[in-house]
PDB file of all heavy atoms in Angstrom:
ATOM      1  N   GLY A   1      -6.812  -1.525  -1.625  1.00  0.00           N
ATOM      2  CA  GLY A   1      -7.813  -2.440  -1.037  1.00  0.00           C
ATOM      3  C   GLY A   1      -8.513  -1.783   0.155  1.00  0.00           C
ATOM      4  O   GLY A   1      -8.970  -0.633   0.098  1.00  0.00           O
ATOM      5  N   ASP A   2      -8.530  -2.499   1.251  1.00  0.00           N
ATOM      6  CA  ASP A   2      -9.270  -2.022   2.465  1.00  0.00           C
ATOM      7  C   ASP A   2      -8.335  -1.275   3.436  1.00  0.00           C
ATOM      8  O   ASP A   2      -8.747  -1.084   4.580  1.00  0.00           O
ATOM      9  CB  ASP A   2      -9.869  -3.241   3.221  1.00  0.00           C
ATOM     10  CG  ASP A   2     -11.031  -3.783   2.467  1.00  0.00           C
ATOM     11  OD1 ASP A   2     -11.757  -3.009   1.809  1.00  0.00           O
ATOM     12  OD2 ASP A   2     -11.293  -5.029   2.548  1.00  0.00           O
ATOM     13  N   ALA A   3      -7.167  -0.906   3.049  1.00  0.00           N
ATOM     14  CA  ALA A   3      -6.210  -0.268   3.943  1.00  0.00           C
ATOM     15  C   ALA A   3      -6.730   1.079   4.502  1.00  0.00           C
ATOM     16  O   ALA A   3      -6.409   1.443   5.625  1.00  0.00           O
ATOM     17  CB  ALA A   3      -4.865  -0.050   3.248  1.00  0.00           C
ATOM     18  N   LEU A   4      -7.558   1.753   3.797  1.00  0.00           N
ATOM     19  CA  LEU A   4      -8.152   3.040   4.257  1.00  0.00           C
ATOM     20  C   LEU A   4      -8.999   2.774   5.490  1.00  0.00           C
ATOM     21  O   LEU A   4      -8.949   3.517   6.447  1.00  0.00           O
ATOM     22  CB  LEU A   4      -8.933   3.695   3.167  1.00  0.00           C
ATOM     23  CG  LEU A   4      -9.591   5.031   3.541  1.00  0.00           C
ATOM     24  CD1 LEU A   4      -8.541   6.084   3.894  1.00  0.00           C
ATOM     25  CD2 LEU A   4     -10.408   5.536   2.375  1.00  0.00           C
ATOM     26  N   ARG A   5      -9.771   1.742   5.528  1.00  0.00           N
ATOM     27  CA  ARG A   5     -10.724   1.467   6.568  1.00  0.00           C
ATOM     28  C   ARG A   5     -10.061   0.688   7.727  1.00  0.00           C
ATOM     29  O   ARG A   5     -10.643   0.589   8.817  1.00  0.00           O
ATOM     30  CB  ARG A   5     -11.894   0.670   6.068  1.00  0.00           C
ATOM     31  CG  ARG A   5     -12.801   1.467   5.127  1.00  0.00           C
ATOM     32  CD  ARG A   5     -14.028   0.724   4.752  1.00  0.00           C
ATOM     33  NE  ARG A   5     -13.754  -0.496   4.003  1.00  0.00           N
ATOM     34  CZ  ARG A   5     -13.677  -0.579   2.675  1.00  0.00           C
ATOM     35  NH1 ARG A   5     -13.867   0.510   1.932  1.00  0.00           N
ATOM     36  NH2 ARG A   5     -13.429  -1.698   2.054  1.00  0.00           N
ATOM     37  N   GLN A   6      -8.915   0.115   7.534  1.00  0.00           N
ATOM     38  CA  GLN A   6      -8.277  -0.730   8.594  1.00  0.00           C
ATOM     39  C   GLN A   6      -6.952  -0.154   9.014  1.00  0.00           C
ATOM     40  O   GLN A   6      -5.911  -0.803   8.858  1.00  0.00           O
ATOM     41  CB  GLN A   6      -8.179  -2.186   8.046  1.00  0.00           C
ATOM     42  CG  GLN A   6      -9.510  -2.811   7.811  1.00  0.00           C
ATOM     43  CD  GLN A   6      -9.366  -4.292   7.504  1.00  0.00           C
ATOM     44  OE1 GLN A   6      -8.493  -4.971   8.089  1.00  0.00           O
ATOM     45  NE2 GLN A   6     -10.236  -4.785   6.668  1.00  0.00           N
ATOM     46  N   SER A   7      -6.981   1.009   9.584  1.00  0.00           N
ATOM     47  CA  SER A   7      -5.739   1.710   9.945  1.00  0.00           C
ATOM     48  C   SER A   7      -4.904   0.940  10.963  1.00  0.00           C
ATOM     49  O   SER A   7      -3.672   1.103  11.005  1.00  0.00           O
ATOM     50  CB  SER A   7      -6.080   3.114  10.445  1.00  0.00           C
ATOM     51  OG  SER A   7      -6.875   3.072  11.617  1.00  0.00           O
ATOM     52  N   GLN A   8      -5.502   0.157  11.817  1.00  0.00           N
ATOM     53  CA  GLN A   8      -4.774  -0.619  12.837  1.00  0.00           C
ATOM     54  C   GLN A   8      -3.865  -1.687  12.212  1.00  0.00           C
ATOM     55  O   GLN A   8      -2.851  -2.038  12.816  1.00  0.00           O
ATOM     56  CB  GLN A   8      -5.735  -1.259  13.839  1.00  0.00           C
ATOM     57  CG  GLN A   8      -6.549  -0.301  14.612  1.00  0.00           C
ATOM     58  CD  GLN A   8      -5.708   0.383  15.711  1.00  0.00           C
ATOM     59  OE1 GLN A   8      -4.733  -0.163  16.157  1.00  0.00           O
ATOM     60  NE2 GLN A   8      -6.121   1.591  16.080  1.00  0.00           N
ATOM     61  N   ARG A   9      -4.272  -2.213  11.089  1.00  0.00           N
ATOM     62  CA  ARG A   9      -3.556  -3.340  10.463  1.00  0.00           C
ATOM     63  C   ARG A   9      -2.695  -2.918   9.262  1.00  0.00           C
ATOM     64  O   ARG A   9      -1.917  -3.742   8.789  1.00  0.00           O
ATOM     65  CB  ARG A   9      -4.598  -4.368  10.031  1.00  0.00           C
ATOM     66  CG  ARG A   9      -5.401  -4.989  11.126  1.00  0.00           C
ATOM     67  CD  ARG A   9      -6.274  -6.077  10.655  1.00  0.00           C
ATOM     68  NE  ARG A   9      -5.545  -7.065   9.839  1.00  0.00           N
ATOM     69  CZ  ARG A   9      -5.881  -7.372   8.577  1.00  0.00           C
ATOM     70  NH1 ARG A   9      -6.892  -6.787   8.002  1.00  0.00           N
ATOM     71  NH2 ARG A   9      -5.160  -8.257   7.922  1.00  0.00           N
ATOM     72  N   ARG A  10      -2.815  -1.749   8.778  1.00  0.00           N
ATOM     73  CA  ARG A  10      -2.154  -1.384   7.540  1.00  0.00           C
ATOM     74  C   ARG A  10      -0.658  -1.191   7.682  1.00  0.00           C
ATOM     75  O   ARG A  10      -0.176  -0.766   8.708  1.00  0.00           O
ATOM     76  CB  ARG A  10      -2.828  -0.217   6.859  1.00  0.00           C
ATOM     77  CG  ARG A  10      -2.595   1.127   7.449  1.00  0.00           C
ATOM     78  CD  ARG A  10      -3.217   2.207   6.609  1.00  0.00           C
ATOM     79  NE  ARG A  10      -3.308   3.414   7.321  1.00  0.00           N
ATOM     80  CZ  ARG A  10      -4.375   4.210   7.389  1.00  0.00           C
ATOM     81  NH1 ARG A  10      -5.479   3.857   6.758  1.00  0.00           N
ATOM     82  NH2 ARG A  10      -4.315   5.294   8.079  1.00  0.00           N
ATOM     83  N   CYS A  11      -0.015  -1.490   6.594  1.00  0.00           N
ATOM     84  CA  CYS A  11       1.430  -1.267   6.432  1.00  0.00           C
ATOM     85  C   CYS A  11       1.620  -0.124   5.422  1.00  0.00           C
ATOM     86  O   CYS A  11       0.707   0.124   4.647  1.00  0.00           O
ATOM     87  CB  CYS A  11       2.154  -2.495   5.949  1.00  0.00           C
ATOM     88  SG  CYS A  11       1.883  -3.959   6.974  1.00  0.00           S
ATOM     89  N   SER A  12       2.773   0.454   5.392  1.00  0.00           N
ATOM     90  CA  SER A  12       2.963   1.585   4.483  1.00  0.00           C
ATOM     91  C   SER A  12       4.384   1.607   3.920  1.00  0.00           C
ATOM     92  O   SER A  12       5.305   1.211   4.580  1.00  0.00           O
ATOM     93  CB  SER A  12       2.754   2.946   5.195  1.00  0.00           C
ATOM     94  OG  SER A  12       1.491   3.027   5.724  1.00  0.00           O
ATOM     95  N   PHE A  13       4.473   1.995   2.657  1.00  0.00           N
ATOM     96  CA  PHE A  13       5.749   2.257   1.983  1.00  0.00           C
ATOM     97  C   PHE A  13       5.694   3.766   1.658  1.00  0.00           C
ATOM     98  O   PHE A  13       4.723   4.218   1.115  1.00  0.00           O
ATOM     99  CB  PHE A  13       5.908   1.446   0.717  1.00  0.00           C
ATOM    100  CG  PHE A  13       6.813   0.301   0.824  1.00  0.00           C
ATOM    101  CD1 PHE A  13       6.399  -0.860   1.504  1.00  0.00           C
ATOM    102  CD2 PHE A  13       8.112   0.326   0.340  1.00  0.00           C
ATOM    103  CE1 PHE A  13       7.218  -1.948   1.644  1.00  0.00           C
ATOM    104  CE2 PHE A  13       8.922  -0.752   0.440  1.00  0.00           C
ATOM    105  CZ  PHE A  13       8.509  -1.892   1.117  1.00  0.00           C
ATOM    106  N   LEU A  14       6.788   4.464   1.926  1.00  0.00           N
ATOM    107  CA  LEU A  14       6.880   5.872   1.693  1.00  0.00           C
ATOM    108  C   LEU A  14       8.005   6.242   0.702  1.00  0.00           C
ATOM    109  O   LEU A  14       9.047   5.631   0.782  1.00  0.00           O
ATOM    110  CB  LEU A  14       7.135   6.628   3.004  1.00  0.00           C
ATOM    111  CG  LEU A  14       6.199   6.305   4.156  1.00  0.00           C
ATOM    112  CD1 LEU A  14       6.731   6.876   5.447  1.00  0.00           C
ATOM    113  CD2 LEU A  14       4.812   6.900   3.875  1.00  0.00           C
ATOM    114  N   ASP A  15       7.753   7.211  -0.098  1.00  0.00           N
ATOM    115  CA  ASP A  15       8.747   7.779  -0.965  1.00  0.00           C
ATOM    116  C   ASP A  15       8.845   9.276  -0.662  1.00  0.00           C
ATOM    117  O   ASP A  15       8.074  10.064  -1.218  1.00  0.00           O
ATOM    118  CB  ASP A  15       8.468   7.561  -2.438  1.00  0.00           C
ATOM    119  CG  ASP A  15       9.597   8.034  -3.355  1.00  0.00           C
ATOM    120  OD1 ASP A  15      10.417   8.867  -2.862  1.00  0.00           O
ATOM    121  OD2 ASP A  15       9.638   7.562  -4.480  1.00  0.00           O
ATOM    122  N   PRO A  16       9.743   9.689   0.300  1.00  0.00           N
ATOM    123  CA  PRO A  16       9.769  11.063   0.702  1.00  0.00           C
ATOM    124  C   PRO A  16      10.248  12.050  -0.419  1.00  0.00           C
ATOM    125  O   PRO A  16       9.991  13.238  -0.327  1.00  0.00           O
ATOM    126  CB  PRO A  16      10.706  11.046   1.885  1.00  0.00           C
ATOM    127  CG  PRO A  16      11.567   9.871   1.764  1.00  0.00           C
ATOM    128  CD  PRO A  16      10.674   8.843   0.975  1.00  0.00           C
ATOM    129  N   THR A  17      10.948  11.501  -1.399  1.00  0.00           N
ATOM    130  CA  THR A  17      11.401  12.421  -2.472  1.00  0.00           C
ATOM    131  C   THR A  17      10.260  12.984  -3.298  1.00  0.00           C
ATOM    132  O   THR A  17      10.333  14.108  -3.738  1.00  0.00           O
ATOM    133  CB  THR A  17      12.446  11.715  -3.372  1.00  0.00           C
ATOM    134  OG1 THR A  17      11.800  10.567  -3.992  1.00  0.00           O
ATOM    135  CG2 THR A  17      13.673  11.298  -2.601  1.00  0.00           C
ATOM    136  N   VAL A  18       9.212  12.198  -3.485  1.00  0.00           N
ATOM    137  CA  VAL A  18       8.038  12.676  -4.252  1.00  0.00           C
ATOM    138  C   VAL A  18       6.784  12.827  -3.347  1.00  0.00           C
ATOM    139  O   VAL A  18       5.720  13.117  -3.826  1.00  0.00           O
ATOM    140  CB  VAL A  18       7.744  11.763  -5.471  1.00  0.00           C
ATOM    141  CG1 VAL A  18       8.852  11.875  -6.497  1.00  0.00           C
ATOM    142  CG2 VAL A  18       7.509  10.342  -5.029  1.00  0.00           C
ATOM    143  N   LYS A  19       7.004  12.494  -2.065  1.00  0.00           N
ATOM    144  CA  LYS A  19       5.936  12.654  -1.054  1.00  0.00           C
ATOM    145  C   LYS A  19       4.707  11.851  -1.376  1.00  0.00           C
ATOM    146  O   LYS A  19       3.558  12.339  -1.438  1.00  0.00           O
ATOM    147  CB  LYS A  19       5.614  14.110  -0.820  1.00  0.00           C
ATOM    148  CG  LYS A  19       6.784  14.885  -0.258  1.00  0.00           C
ATOM    149  CD  LYS A  19       6.450  16.283   0.071  1.00  0.00           C
ATOM    150  CE  LYS A  19       7.693  16.921   0.675  1.00  0.00           C
ATOM    151  NZ  LYS A  19       7.467  18.320   1.044  1.00  0.00           N
ATOM    152  N   VAL A  20       4.933  10.542  -1.592  1.00  0.00           N
ATOM    153  CA  VAL A  20       3.906   9.576  -1.840  1.00  0.00           C
ATOM    154  C   VAL A  20       3.994   8.456  -0.799  1.00  0.00           C
ATOM    155  O   VAL A  20       5.041   7.978  -0.567  1.00  0.00           O
ATOM    156  CB  VAL A  20       3.933   8.980  -3.273  1.00  0.00           C
ATOM    157  CG1 VAL A  20       2.952   7.873  -3.441  1.00  0.00           C
ATOM    158  CG2 VAL A  20       3.740  10.030  -4.298  1.00  0.00           C
ATOM    159  N   ALA A  21       2.812   8.082  -0.277  1.00  0.00           N
ATOM    160  CA  ALA A  21       2.737   6.938   0.657  1.00  0.00           C
ATOM    161  C   ALA A  21       1.750   5.930   0.129  1.00  0.00           C
ATOM    162  O   ALA A  21       0.623   6.316  -0.267  1.00  0.00           O
ATOM    163  CB  ALA A  21       2.322   7.393   2.046  1.00  0.00           C
ATOM    164  N   LEU A  22       2.161   4.709   0.049  1.00  0.00           N
ATOM    165  CA  LEU A  22       1.272   3.619  -0.384  1.00  0.00           C
ATOM    166  C   LEU A  22       0.948   2.763   0.818  1.00  0.00           C
ATOM    167  O   LEU A  22       1.895   2.188   1.443  1.00  0.00           O
ATOM    168  CB  LEU A  22       1.886   2.803  -1.469  1.00  0.00           C
ATOM    169  CG  LEU A  22       1.093   1.603  -1.996  1.00  0.00           C
ATOM    170  CD1 LEU A  22      -0.295   2.073  -2.510  1.00  0.00           C
ATOM    171  CD2 LEU A  22       1.854   0.888  -3.137  1.00  0.00           C
ATOM    172  N   HIS A  23      -0.302   2.676   1.162  1.00  0.00           N
ATOM    173  CA  HIS A  23      -0.778   1.896   2.330  1.00  0.00           C
ATOM    174  C   HIS A  23      -1.499   0.640   1.908  1.00  0.00           C
ATOM    175  O   HIS A  23      -2.259   0.660   0.948  1.00  0.00           O
ATOM    176  CB  HIS A  23      -1.732   2.766   3.194  1.00  0.00           C
ATOM    177  CG  HIS A  23      -1.172   4.103   3.482  1.00  0.00           C
ATOM    178  ND1 HIS A  23      -0.257   4.407   4.456  1.00  0.00           N
ATOM    179  CD2 HIS A  23      -1.465   5.352   2.899  1.00  0.00           C
ATOM    180  CE1 HIS A  23       0.020   5.698   4.427  1.00  0.00           C
ATOM    181  NE2 HIS A  23      -0.731   6.272   3.560  1.00  0.00           N
ATOM    182  N   TYR A  24      -1.175  -0.499   2.584  1.00  0.00           N
ATOM    183  CA  TYR A  24      -1.752  -1.756   2.192  1.00  0.00           C
ATOM    184  C   TYR A  24      -1.897  -2.628   3.421  1.00  0.00           C
ATOM    185  O   TYR A  24      -1.386  -2.312   4.474  1.00  0.00           O
ATOM    186  CB  TYR A  24      -0.861  -2.461   1.141  1.00  0.00           C
ATOM    187  CG  TYR A  24       0.520  -2.766   1.634  1.00  0.00           C
ATOM    188  CD1 TYR A  24       0.795  -4.049   2.166  1.00  0.00           C
ATOM    189  CD2 TYR A  24       1.541  -1.842   1.660  1.00  0.00           C
ATOM    190  CE1 TYR A  24       2.072  -4.363   2.687  1.00  0.00           C
ATOM    191  CE2 TYR A  24       2.826  -2.125   2.137  1.00  0.00           C
ATOM    192  CZ  TYR A  24       3.060  -3.377   2.673  1.00  0.00           C
ATOM    193  OH  TYR A  24       4.297  -3.654   3.137  1.00  0.00           O
ATOM    194  N   LEU A  25      -2.643  -3.752   3.278  1.00  0.00           N
ATOM    195  CA  LEU A  25      -2.743  -4.731   4.372  1.00  0.00           C
ATOM    196  C   LEU A  25      -1.799  -5.874   4.078  1.00  0.00           C
ATOM    197  O   LEU A  25      -1.489  -6.164   2.912  1.00  0.00           O
ATOM    198  CB  LEU A  25      -4.207  -5.221   4.422  1.00  0.00           C
ATOM    199  CG  LEU A  25      -5.247  -4.159   4.753  1.00  0.00           C
ATOM    200  CD1 LEU A  25      -6.620  -4.790   4.772  1.00  0.00           C
ATOM    201  CD2 LEU A  25      -4.983  -3.472   6.056  1.00  0.00           C
ATOM    202  N   PRO A  26      -1.304  -6.558   5.111  1.00  0.00           N
ATOM    203  CA  PRO A  26      -0.371  -7.645   4.886  1.00  0.00           C
ATOM    204  C   PRO A  26      -0.827  -8.675   3.912  1.00  0.00           C
ATOM    205  O   PRO A  26      -0.033  -9.208   3.114  1.00  0.00           O
ATOM    206  CB  PRO A  26      -0.147  -8.252   6.279  1.00  0.00           C
ATOM    207  CG  PRO A  26      -0.458  -7.142   7.203  1.00  0.00           C
ATOM    208  CD  PRO A  26      -1.551  -6.329   6.527  1.00  0.00           C
ATOM    209  N   GLU A  27      -2.098  -9.010   3.935  1.00  0.00           N
ATOM    210  CA  GLU A  27      -2.641 -10.018   2.996  1.00  0.00           C
ATOM    211  C   GLU A  27      -2.651  -9.527   1.561  1.00  0.00           C
ATOM    212  O   GLU A  27      -2.905 -10.343   0.649  1.00  0.00           O
ATOM    213  CB  GLU A  27      -4.027 -10.506   3.431  1.00  0.00           C
ATOM    214  CG  GLU A  27      -5.103  -9.505   3.469  1.00  0.00           C
ATOM    215  CD  GLU A  27      -5.264  -8.837   4.808  1.00  0.00           C
ATOM    216  OE1 GLU A  27      -4.302  -8.860   5.653  1.00  0.00           O
ATOM    217  OE2 GLU A  27      -6.329  -8.267   5.070  1.00  0.00           O
ATOM    218  N   ASP A  28      -2.426  -8.230   1.307  1.00  0.00           N
ATOM    219  CA  ASP A  28      -2.424  -7.719  -0.054  1.00  0.00           C
ATOM    220  C   ASP A  28      -1.049  -7.932  -0.741  1.00  0.00           C
ATOM    221  O   ASP A  28      -0.955  -7.701  -1.960  1.00  0.00           O
ATOM    222  CB  ASP A  28      -2.725  -6.223  -0.045  1.00  0.00           C
ATOM    223  CG  ASP A  28      -4.151  -5.912   0.306  1.00  0.00           C
ATOM    224  OD1 ASP A  28      -5.018  -6.781   0.082  1.00  0.00           O
ATOM    225  OD2 ASP A  28      -4.420  -4.867   0.872  1.00  0.00           O
ATOM    226  N   LEU A  29      -0.043  -8.319  -0.016  1.00  0.00           N
ATOM    227  CA  LEU A  29       1.318  -8.465  -0.590  1.00  0.00           C
ATOM    228  C   LEU A  29       1.336  -9.286  -1.888  1.00  0.00           C
ATOM    229  O   LEU A  29       2.003  -8.943  -2.847  1.00  0.00           O
ATOM    230  CB  LEU A  29       2.295  -9.014   0.421  1.00  0.00           C
ATOM    231  CG  LEU A  29       2.932  -7.967   1.355  1.00  0.00           C
ATOM    232  CD1 LEU A  29       3.815  -8.685   2.396  1.00  0.00           C
ATOM    233  CD2 LEU A  29       3.757  -6.997   0.549  1.00  0.00           C
ATOM    234  N   PRO A  30       0.569 -10.429  -1.964  1.00  0.00           N
ATOM    235  CA  PRO A  30       0.631 -11.190  -3.216  1.00  0.00           C
ATOM    236  C   PRO A  30       0.113 -10.444  -4.420  1.00  0.00           C
ATOM    237  O   PRO A  30       0.399 -10.842  -5.565  1.00  0.00           O
ATOM    238  CB  PRO A  30      -0.219 -12.416  -2.894  1.00  0.00           C
ATOM    239  CG  PRO A  30      -0.200 -12.522  -1.414  1.00  0.00           C
ATOM    240  CD  PRO A  30      -0.131 -11.130  -0.912  1.00  0.00           C
ATOM    241  N   THR A  31      -0.651  -9.388  -4.233  1.00  0.00           N
ATOM    242  CA  THR A  31      -1.219  -8.654  -5.378  1.00  0.00           C
ATOM    243  C   THR A  31      -0.181  -7.712  -5.971  1.00  0.00           C
ATOM    244  O   THR A  31      -0.443  -7.137  -7.105  1.00  0.00           O
ATOM    245  CB  THR A  31      -2.473  -7.887  -5.017  1.00  0.00           C
ATOM    246  OG1 THR A  31      -2.147  -6.844  -4.082  1.00  0.00           O
ATOM    247  CG2 THR A  31      -3.539  -8.801  -4.436  1.00  0.00           C
ATOM    248  N   PHE A  32       0.914  -7.469  -5.331  1.00  0.00           N
ATOM    249  CA  PHE A  32       1.936  -6.577  -5.852  1.00  0.00           C
ATOM    250  C   PHE A  32       2.818  -7.339  -6.835  1.00  0.00           C
ATOM    251  O   PHE A  32       3.818  -7.982  -6.415  1.00  0.00           O
ATOM    252  CB  PHE A  32       2.775  -5.944  -4.758  1.00  0.00           C
ATOM    253  CG  PHE A  32       1.995  -5.113  -3.783  1.00  0.00           C
ATOM    254  CD1 PHE A  32       1.975  -5.389  -2.468  1.00  0.00           C
ATOM    255  CD2 PHE A  32       1.179  -4.053  -4.246  1.00  0.00           C
ATOM    256  CE1 PHE A  32       1.233  -4.616  -1.581  1.00  0.00           C
ATOM    257  CE2 PHE A  32       0.450  -3.270  -3.385  1.00  0.00           C
ATOM    258  CZ  PHE A  32       0.473  -3.597  -2.011  1.00  0.00           C
ATOM    259  N   GLN A  33       2.482  -7.285  -8.085  1.00  0.00           N
ATOM    260  CA  GLN A  33       3.277  -7.975  -9.121  1.00  0.00           C
ATOM    261  C   GLN A  33       3.197  -7.201 -10.433  1.00  0.00           C
ATOM    262  O   GLN A  33       2.305  -6.372 -10.596  1.00  0.00           O
ATOM    263  CB  GLN A  33       2.857  -9.387  -9.305  1.00  0.00           C
ATOM    264  CG  GLN A  33       1.347  -9.593  -9.468  1.00  0.00           C
ATOM    265  CD  GLN A  33       1.002 -11.057  -9.545  1.00  0.00           C
ATOM    266  OE1 GLN A  33       1.332 -11.718 -10.510  1.00  0.00           O
ATOM    267  NE2 GLN A  33       0.340 -11.558  -8.514  1.00  0.00           N
ATOM    268  N   GLY A  34       4.115  -7.467 -11.296  1.00  0.00           N
ATOM    269  CA  GLY A  34       4.167  -6.787 -12.599  1.00  0.00           C
ATOM    270  C   GLY A  34       5.221  -5.735 -12.567  1.00  0.00           C
ATOM    271  O   GLY A  34       5.679  -5.250 -11.517  1.00  0.00           O
ATOM    272  N   SER A  35       5.617  -5.319 -13.746  1.00  0.00           N
ATOM    273  CA  SER A  35       6.728  -4.398 -13.887  1.00  0.00           C
ATOM    274  C   SER A  35       6.257  -2.935 -13.853  1.00  0.00           C
ATOM    275  O   SER A  35       7.105  -2.040 -13.637  1.00  0.00           O
ATOM    276  CB  SER A  35       7.491  -4.677 -15.163  1.00  0.00           C
ATOM    277  OG  SER A  35       6.628  -4.522 -16.292  1.00  0.00           O
ATOM    278  N   ARG A  36       4.983  -2.686 -14.024  1.00  0.00           N
ATOM    279  CA  ARG A  36       4.525  -1.305 -14.015  1.00  0.00           C
ATOM    280  C   ARG A  36       3.434  -1.137 -12.934  1.00  0.00           C
ATOM    281  O   ARG A  36       2.637  -1.987 -12.716  1.00  0.00           O
ATOM    282  CB  ARG A  36       3.851  -0.983 -15.365  1.00  0.00           C
ATOM    283  CG  ARG A  36       4.702  -1.215 -16.585  1.00  0.00           C
ATOM    284  CD  ARG A  36       5.928  -0.430 -16.689  1.00  0.00           C
ATOM    285  NE  ARG A  36       5.727   1.014 -16.642  1.00  0.00           N
ATOM    286  CZ  ARG A  36       6.742   1.909 -16.431  1.00  0.00           C
ATOM    287  NH1 ARG A  36       7.963   1.478 -16.276  1.00  0.00           N
ATOM    288  NH2 ARG A  36       6.444   3.180 -16.328  1.00  0.00           N
ATOM    289  N   PRO A  37       3.453   0.019 -12.297  1.00  0.00           N
ATOM    290  CA  PRO A  37       2.459   0.306 -11.296  1.00  0.00           C
ATOM    291  C   PRO A  37       1.011   0.362 -11.906  1.00  0.00           C
ATOM    292  O   PRO A  37       0.881   0.844 -13.012  1.00  0.00           O
ATOM    293  CB  PRO A  37       2.801   1.693 -10.738  1.00  0.00           C
ATOM    294  CG  PRO A  37       4.155   1.999 -11.207  1.00  0.00           C
ATOM    295  CD  PRO A  37       4.409   1.125 -12.420  1.00  0.00           C
ATOM    296  N   PRO A  38      -0.005  -0.120 -11.154  1.00  0.00           N
ATOM    297  CA  PRO A  38      -1.356  -0.123 -11.726  1.00  0.00           C
ATOM    298  C   PRO A  38      -2.062   1.236 -11.620  1.00  0.00           C
ATOM    299  O   PRO A  38      -3.181   1.372 -12.090  1.00  0.00           O
ATOM    300  CB  PRO A  38      -2.093  -1.143 -10.852  1.00  0.00           C
ATOM    301  CG  PRO A  38      -1.354  -1.063  -9.550  1.00  0.00           C
ATOM    302  CD  PRO A  38       0.074  -0.793  -9.914  1.00  0.00           C
ATOM    303  N   HIS A  39      -1.440   2.218 -11.056  1.00  0.00           N
ATOM    304  CA  HIS A  39      -2.026   3.578 -10.901  1.00  0.00           C
ATOM    305  C   HIS A  39      -0.974   4.620 -11.221  1.00  0.00           C
ATOM    306  O   HIS A  39       0.173   4.469 -10.792  1.00  0.00           O
ATOM    307  CB  HIS A  39      -2.543   3.755  -9.504  1.00  0.00           C
ATOM    308  CG  HIS A  39      -3.438   4.960  -9.332  1.00  0.00           C
ATOM    309  ND1 HIS A  39      -2.908   6.208  -9.168  1.00  0.00           N
ATOM    310  CD2 HIS A  39      -4.788   5.071  -9.336  1.00  0.00           C
ATOM    311  CE1 HIS A  39      -3.930   7.048  -9.061  1.00  0.00           C
ATOM    312  NE2 HIS A  39      -5.044   6.379  -9.178  1.00  0.00           N
TER     313      HIS A  39
END
């Protein structure tokens, strides 16, 4: 979503084993659903 433009408000989940970081805004939490990643 808008996490790229709103660095002050964004949260992040990191996976250091594969070196991937997923950044999101708190209000985006309800959109994380389903058994498979959308990307």
Side-chain angles (χ1 to χ4, degrees):
D2 289 328
L4 180 62
R5 293 186 297 270
Q6 297 191 32
S7 62
Q8 296 286 334
R9 296 185 52 238
R10 73 176 166 226
C11 303
S12 301
F13 256 77
L14 308 167
D15 185 340
T17 60
V18 292
K19 297 186 177 180
V20 172
L22 179 58
H23 310 284
Y24 63 95
L25 299 178
E27 61 267 22
D28 292 331
L29 275 174
T31 65
F32 299 123
Q33 52 184 290
S35 60
R36 305 298 305 164
H39 192 277

